Amino acid sequence: GQRARVTLMEGASKVTLYAIDGRGYAESVRLCLAACRVAYEEVAVTTRAQLDALPTPLPKQLPLLVVEFEGARPAEGGDGSCRQAVRVASAPAIIRHLARAFALYGESEAEAARIDTLSEGVVTLCAKFVALPFSSVPLHSLHGGEDWEDPVTELRARWLGLYLPAFERALRDNGCTEGFGYLVGKHMSYADLLLLEVEEYCEEYCPGALEEYVLLRSHWQRMRGKRQLREFFDGTDGHRHPPSGREFVAAVREVMS
């Protein structure tokens, strides 16, 4: 049952997120951790040597979430008498883990399948925003200056017009109104959290892009109004990162080279 799944994180004594210092794909994880009210410590990965030393199952996997339990032992030394630390790498895997742990995966297999399907589309669009700092346009221009509109204009013309109507339709098909509703079912899912991140990016890079989408705009305002999410976006919880720019791109290249 949904309630039983919450025990996946119960009893955790320490939660640590390892990520490059900046938004990137880790920002989706930070948002989900905020929504689940998980207290955690973040460790910035700044060198390739630091990355190579992390206990990830596959190479170059970031972000990495480590959930430790009181008395847990490393996997290689455990004797089965206590819970092992849980290590989950890459943003999609971490988000799905949190969704299972905090009942953000729907109330049926059918709902879970639709949540996964819609989330793939949301992630595809989100990736376009995440990639903006890596465009050929001078990085300082991405948040001001005469050249900043080029990659954003392309994103708005090619991708927002493709995906935003689909998300608006998904909300409508699920019975949403201007004051209530989610992408799937009657409760918030991780798909709603990912959509919220995209809505935030739209407002940040393409102000007014949501104006013609009544349900999307309402969804954004309603989700952002939740206390733990408002605190995240306002920066009061201390985990929200500023828009990525030249320093973040340099950090990614340093760590992933």
Side-chain angles (χ1 to χ4, degrees):
Q2 292 292 319
R3 181 63 187 88
R5 292 179 182 177
V6 178
T7 61
L8 288 172
M9 292 282 287
E10 285 181 355
S13 59
K14 183 179 181 181
V15 180
T16 307
L17 178 67
Y18 295 87
I20 295 173
D21 189 16
R23 282 191 187 174
Y25 293 111
E27 200 73 355
S28 299
V29 175
R30 298 179 187 109
L31 173 59
C32 289
L33 287 167
C36 297
R37 300 181 184 273
V38 174
Y40 67 97
E41 174 188 350
E42 182 164 342
V43 175
V45 179
T46 59
T47 66
R48 177 61 188 271
Q50 187 181 3
L51 172 63
D52 290 341
L54 291 176
T56 57
L58 295 173
K60 293 188 175 183
Q61 279 195 309
L62 283 178
L64 169 68
L65 186 72
V66 178
V67 183
E68 299 175 53
F69 300 93
E70 194 68 37
R73 304 185 181 198
E76 61 270 19
D79 59 5
S81 62
C82 58
R83 294 187 69 176
Q84 303 293 341
V86 175
R87 300 179 178 89
V88 192
S90 85
I94 294 171
I95 292 167
R96 288 194 296 270
H97 175 77
L98 292 171
R100 288 190 294 269
F102 290 93
L104 297 173
Y105 229 134
E107 296 186 311
S108 67
E109 290 300 320
E111 286 191 1
R114 184 158 176 79
I115 288 167
D116 283 337
T117 300
L118 290 173
S119 294
E120 285 299 308
V122 178
V123 168
T124 297
L125 180 55
C126 188
K128 306 301 179 183
F129 287 103
V130 173
L132 283 175
F134 297 86
S135 73
S136 59
V137 173
L139 295 175
H140 67 81
S141 299
L142 286 175
H143 283 272
E146 60 183 8
D147 296 326
W148 82 278
E149 293 180 343
D150 290 343
V152 177
T153 298
E154 180 182 4
L155 186 155
R156 185 167 190 163
R158 293 185 58 189
W159 301 108
L160 295 193
L162 179 65
Y163 281 99
L164 294 188
F167 300 147
E168 178 84 356
R169 184 166 58 251
L171 289 168
R172 184 173 59 251
D173 290 347
N174 194 45
C176 288
T177 66
E178 288 190 54
F180 177 80
Y182 299 100
L183 274 174
V184 180
K186 298 179 181 179
H187 305 285
M188 181 177 72
S189 71
Y190 83 88
D192 292 290
L193 294 171
L194 296 179
L195 181 58
L196 172 60
E197 183 179 23
V198 163
E199 291 162 346
E200 284 287 325
Y201 271 128
C202 285
E203 286 300 305
E204 183 175 53
Y205 284 99
C206 310
L210 299 179
E211 286 304 312
E212 62 183 290
Y213 303 103
V214 175
L215 297 181
L216 275 174
R217 187 175 66 252
S218 175
H219 178 273
W220 168 60
Q221 294 169 341
R222 189 169 61 255
M223 289 288 292
R224 209 183 193 284
K226 295 179 183 295
R227 179 179 177 182
Q228 66 271 38
L229 298 178
R230 183 174 65 251
E231 291 177 351
F232 174 77
F233 285 112
D234 290 348
T236 54
D237 77 344
H239 291 298
R240 175 69 162 162
H241 281 60
S244 299
R246 188 185 302 276
E247 292 183 359
F248 176 69
V249 172
V252 170
R253 290 172 177 164
E254 171 70 22
V255 173
M256 294 298 183
S257 62

